[in-house]
Every structure is written in structure tokens, then in C-alpha cells.
Amino acid sequence: MVADPNLLEFYGTECVHCNEMKPLVQRLEQELGKELTTLEVWHNQANLQKFQQADQGKCGGVPFFLNTKTGKFICGSTSYENLKKWAMGK
């Protein structure tokens, strides 16, 4: 699978909510046939800067999902249905 540069997931390695979302992200990736571009921000300074530029006060934390094609975003944990709508641009 190839990572989709328009579907970004910012996460923290030890983040409980990020880890709760992993199975939903994996299911979504299997259904879409492409991976989200994942960026770890708690231990990677460059990714943290990317997160801060992308977030601009929208969420302030992780998980943060951003569809750069549509501008739609999700703050925190969500349902599979919401995650799929986000990825599909709905």
C-alpha cells in the first residue's frame, strides 16, 4: 500500500486515544487500499512543527486527522463511520 499524502494522522506513541484509534485506522486503510500518512509528534520535533502548522489551534492535541484535500479534520477519538466520511471527503 502507498501512503496518501492528503490523509494525515498526527499521533503520539504513548497516547491512549491514538492507540484506541489504531484498529479503526487499519480497517480504513484496508478498505481504501491506501495508508494514511502518519506523523509521530511526541518524539519527533520535525513532525511536531508540521502538526503545529497544520493544527493552527483547531485541536491542540492528538490524535489529529487532517484531510488536506478538503480541509476537514477530526480532533481526538471518533467512530469508524466518522473516520471513513473524513477520508472520503464527506
Side-chain angles (χ1 to χ4, degrees), residues 8-12 18 37 39 50-56 58-67 71-77 86:
L8 307 178
E9 175 192 11
F10 294 93
Y11 73 99
C18 300
T37 297
L39 302 159
K50 290 177 186 175
F51 164 71
Q52 291 168 337
Q53 289 173 342
D55 180 58
Q56 296 182 1
K58 293 177 183 85
C59 293
V62 292
F64 174 56
F65 298 89
L66 176 64
N67 184 328
K72 295 185 184 288
F73 61 92
I74 297 173
C75 299
S77 298
W86 162 83

Side-chain angles (χ1 to χ4, degrees), residues 10-56:
F10 294 93
Y11 73 99
T13 302
E14 298 87 4
C15 170
V16 173
H17 302 291
C18 300
N19 288 321
E20 288 173 353
M21 291 301 298
K22 275 186 181 182
L24 301 183
V25 169
Q26 290 170 343
R27 178 179 165 194
L28 179 69
E29 290 174 334
Q30 289 175 346
E31 283 190 24
L32 293 178
K34 55 188 168 186
E35 296 178 353
L36 276 62
T37 297
T38 57
L39 302 159
E40 203 289 329
V41 302
W42 286 7
H43 302 285
N44 185 308
Q45 199 64 28
N47 287 345
L48 177 59
Q49 290 176 350
K50 290 177 186 175
F51 164 71
Q52 291 168 337
Q53 289 173 342
D55 180 58
Q56 296 182 1

